[in-house]
Amino acid sequence: MIAMTSDGVRIYVFDTTLRDGEQSPGASLNVEEKIEIARQLERLGVDVIEAGFPISSPGDFRAVQEVSKIIQNAVVCGLTRAVHKDIEVAAEALKPAKRPRIHTGLGVSDIHLKYKLRMSREEALERGVDAVKFARRFVDDVEYFLEDAGRADPEYIYRVIEAVIKAGATVINVPDTTGYTVPEEFGALIRGIMNNVPNIDKAIVSVHCHDDLGMATANTLAGVLNGARQVEVTINGIGERAGNTSLEEVVMAIHTRKDVFKNMYTGINTTEIYKTSRLVSTLTGILVPPNKAIVGANAFAHSSGIHQDGVLKERTTYEIIDPRTVGITESKIILTARSGRHGVRHRLEELGYHFEGEQFERIYEKFLELADKKKQVYDEDLEALVADAASTVVQTYELVHVQALAGDKIVPTATVKLRHANGEERTATATGTGPVDAAYSAINQIVQAPNELLEFTLQAVTEGIDAMAEVTVRVRGQDGDVFTGRGSATDIVVASAKAYVQALNKLLDKRSTSKRAALTEELERV
Ligand code: KIV
Ligand code: ZN
């Protein structure tokens, strides 16, 4: 089933940022954030949005359901194990979708069969066939994944694929689940499938690679060159462990190397790539490394004199992609307190955020407060505001004020004032190994939410000595959940304190939601 038109061969883009991408440690997104990303994915032009794994949690169920309601063009997909209950729940969540797809499947490598599934090859094959037939009772579009295909016996893979296509699978997903293969090998696996599965023309072959050896993009493209017509990717390559294949790399490789990917094209509107990358980074709290291909801060920066000279004479001497193709423009609009609603809304839309009604008003109000204090509001400030406003987390504490003393001959000391949602203000002073450590100790004295600081990242997001500092922290609460907080300010200590307070608010919100749920359960039981 190959989509060949007079324009060439269409490569379908299956985005799994909201499912596999969200499995990145600490990346958890709430339903509203998932909806925001799904809307942007549709503007980006992806063909399929994998919105979650509905049986895994009520939050995932609701995310798949809500995304199904709002998506107009793309296929909306829900993941399941090859289990009837999973499939029923996914079908229920996908009911509002215009074009629903159930993504089911099972392991195929001997390691998975023996240790994880404890099944023989025949049992697993039968289970897979049954799952596809069952899923077809609910939807016409069923994708079947062969988990750990990268380490499995190709002869067995051919048999499974033939059987599940016969049972009604419309898409066959061949994952390199552990990121183990090298491009030649993975390409040969796809070629083998195209040549040895008699009914392969009845389905689309999809590739789903992980980046454990840094070869996810290369393997995906090798798959495409050997017959795969769907690529499974995430924005910024986020995902389990070392991540998934990144959408922007695959799409731009196909776009840029037309000589290699002859006649191939995707439906992606490349000018939406950068916005989407920023949105996903802001909402997940996962920073994009500066040297990341296509969307990293340095991807189009030229620092050596020879390179700068070359680019000034002729851009193509050192640039293979015009940054405008991926939506990176030179212009950095700076807003001020005099910028009206129209200006703020326009800039937000250029950055990929679309807010209406009350939600926009909330952001605009926060914008005015910030513009009063800061005079100039940069894109990064707007992104930080959006991250706060899009969040439905109850803001138990607000940072009113932080002051720190540091130097090589004094004990670093910080004083912090926080305002509780009930209006009460509390101040604490503490010392530490540095000003940030001291500020965090002072915050801990007030908030009293035991946690472990797992990660602290600081980066400058604007240029010059007055650059905005952006801090991202990850903390682990007592019950093991990880929460991300982000803060930006021209002062490092202030940005750090904001980020920490944001992470603690998420922790407190989760704690009270869990308490409420336990209480409701107890009441229902009584
Ligand atoms: O990596 C993998 O094998 C997966 C499947 C569940 C599709 O994510
Ligand atoms: Zn995966």
Side-chain angles (χ1 to χ4, degrees):
M1 205 193 278
I2 290 181
M4 174 92 84
T5 68
S6 55
D7 299 331
V9 179
R10 172 82 175 242
I11 303 298
Y12 295 106
V13 177
F14 175 115
D15 183 278
T16 182
T17 306
L18 299 178
R19 199 276 300 170
D20 222 344
E22 210 235 1
Q23 286 174 221
S24 304
S28 77
L29 296 161
N30 63 35
V31 175
E32 286 69 25
E33 289 165 337
K34 285 192 175 182
I35 291 172
E36 187 63 25
I37 291 175
R39 284 190 204 279
Q40 179 58 25
L41 289 173
E42 182 144 79
R43 282 191 284 271
L44 178 66
V46 305
D47 298 289
V48 186
I49 297 174
E50 186 165 51
F53 182 5
I55 200 153
S56 67
S57 71
D60 250 41
F61 180 90
R62 208 161 77 77
V64 174
Q65 196 173 44
E66 295 303 317
V67 169
S68 297
K69 285 180 194 163
I70 57 147
I71 292 301
Q72 298 300 316
N73 304 314
V75 169
V76 180
C77 179
L79 184 78
T80 80
R81 292 167 297 181
V83 171
H84 283 204
K85 186 73 197 156
D86 281 33
I87 294 168
E88 276 167 0
V89 171
E92 184 60 31
L94 288 165
K95 246 186 198 159
K98 289 199 165 61
R99 299 172 64 200
R101 176 183 295 177
I102 290 178
H103 187 189
T104 191
L106 210 56
V108 285
S109 67
D110 289 336
I111 297 180
H112 276 230
L113 289 169
K114 182 170 172 195
Y115 296 108
K116 181 179 150 182
L117 302 169
R118 297 175 203 279
M119 279 182 195
S120 68
R121 287 184 175 190
E122 291 317 309
E123 282 166 341
L125 192 149
E126 273 170 35
R127 172 78 79 87
V129 165
D130 173 68
V132 172
K133 285 187 180 158
F134 189 67
R136 282 297 302 256
R137 291 200 209 163
F138 303 95
V139 293
D140 293 334
D141 191 4
V142 174
E143 173 165 338
Y144 190 82
F145 67 82
L146 295 92
E147 195 176 12
D148 204 18
R151 292 190 297 170
D153 170 9
E155 294 299 329
Y156 178 58
I157 290 179
Y158 305 153
R159 284 211 296 126
V160 174
I161 296 178
E162 185 180 353
V164 294
I165 292 177
K166 224 185 212 167
T170 47
V171 182
I172 298 298
N173 175 10
V174 186
D176 180 17
T177 305
T178 53
Y180 179 72
T181 61
V182 297
E184 259 192 22
E185 199 180 8
F186 193 67
L189 174 62
I190 301 301
R191 196 164 57 246
I193 290 170
M194 303 309 293
N195 292 336
N196 290 290
V197 177
N199 53 359
I200 200 66
D201 59 321
K202 307 269 185 315
I204 288 174
V205 174
S206 183
V207 281
H208 175 118
C209 297
H210 281 263
D211 208 29
D212 299 64
L213 291 174
M215 281 185 270
T217 297
N219 285 341
T220 298
L221 293 171
V224 165
L225 288 173
N226 284 284
R229 292 295 170 257
Q230 179 178 279
V231 290
E232 305 205 359
V233 289
T234 62
I235 302 296
N236 302 333
I238 63 170
E240 279 280 5
R241 307 181 308 278
N244 287 61
T245 308
S246 80
L247 177 146
E248 58 278 8
E249 291 174 13
V250 170
V251 167
M252 290 314 292
I254 293 173
H255 183 90
T256 310
R257 295 303 307 273
K258 294 196 171 71
D259 54 332
V260 176
F261 301 96
K262 289 191 177 66
N263 275 325
M264 295 182 191
Y265 69 100
T266 68
I268 295 295
N269 174 1
T270 60
T271 58
E272 293 287 324
I273 286 179
Y274 186 64
K275 284 177 203 172
T276 318
S277 161
R278 293 294 312 163
L279 179 71
V280 169
S281 173
T282 303
L283 296 186
T284 57
I286 299 178
L287 301 179
V288 177
N291 59 330
K292 167 83 181 63
I294 318 293
V295 291
N298 295 344
F300 298 98
H302 305 277
S303 79
S304 96
I306 295 174
H307 287 211
Q308 285 178 351
D309 180 57
V311 171
L312 288 174
K313 284 179 178 141
E314 166 55 42
R315 189 189 61 76
T316 54
T317 51
Y318 287 101
E319 257 180 22
I320 58 166
I321 298 168
D322 182 336
R324 286 171 299 188
T325 317
V326 294
I328 298 177
T329 53
E330 289 292 302
S331 80
K332 281 236 163 191
I333 305 276
I334 300 168
L335 299 166
T336 68
R338 284 187 299 280
S339 307
R341 283 183 172 71
H342 181 71
V344 174
R345 190 193 295 276
H346 182 72
R347 189 60 193 154
L348 281 169
E349 283 178 4
E350 282 183 338
L351 293 171
Y353 304 101
H354 297 253
F355 294 109
E356 296 300 332
E358 232 176 75
Q359 211 179 13
F360 174 75
E361 286 304 318
R362 215 156 12 117
I363 291 171
Y364 187 65
E365 220 171 88
K366 293 258 176 214
F367 160 80
L368 289 179
E369 275 172 30
L370 185 69
D372 256 356
K373 279 191 223 140
K374 265 202 80 205
K375 308 299 170 221
Q376 296 190 322
V377 179
Y378 295 86
D379 291 348
E380 293 73 16
D381 297 314
L382 278 182
E383 283 174 339
L385 283 185
V386 165
D388 281 349
S391 162
T392 50
V393 170
V394 176
Q395 305 295 313
T396 309
Y397 286 100
E398 186 190 344
L399 179 70
V400 179
H401 152 99
V402 53
Q403 181 182 320
L405 268 174
D408 58 354
K409 297 278 190 298
I410 58 168
V411 179
T413 308
T415 300
V416 173
K417 188 192 268 190
L418 299 183
R419 185 183 301 121
H420 192 276
N422 65 14
E424 187 194 337
E425 289 189 345
R426 286 193 55 199
T427 304
T429 299
T431 56
T433 52
V436 174
D437 186 45
Y440 281 22
S441 295
I443 292 170
N444 284 341
Q445 283 180 28
I446 302 173
V447 176
Q448 302 281 327
N451 71 83
E452 182 190 353
L453 183 65
L454 298 177
E455 198 181 309
F456 175 94
T457 328
L458 168 71
Q459 68 168 4
V461 285
T462 47
E463 283 158 23
I465 192 69
D466 62 345
M468 290 281 293
E470 189 170 87
V471 171
T472 305
V473 295
R474 272 178 217 287
V475 302
R476 183 164 35 219
Q478 274 178 320
D479 45 11
D481 289 329
V482 176
F483 304 91
T484 306
R486 210 171 220 211
S488 46
T490 46
D491 183 301
I492 291 170
V493 182
V494 178
S496 307
K498 280 185 180 174
Y500 192 46
V501 171
Q502 193 184 71
L504 293 184
N505 277 334
K506 289 185 183 172
L507 189 158
L508 293 173
D509 188 51
K510 176 76 195 297
R511 207 162 69 179
S512 59
T513 313
S514 310
K515 263 194 204 152
R516 264 200 312 276
L519 199 64
T520 314
E521 209 174 283
E522 181 63 18
L523 283 172
E524 274 169 6
R525 206 176 52 76
V526 171

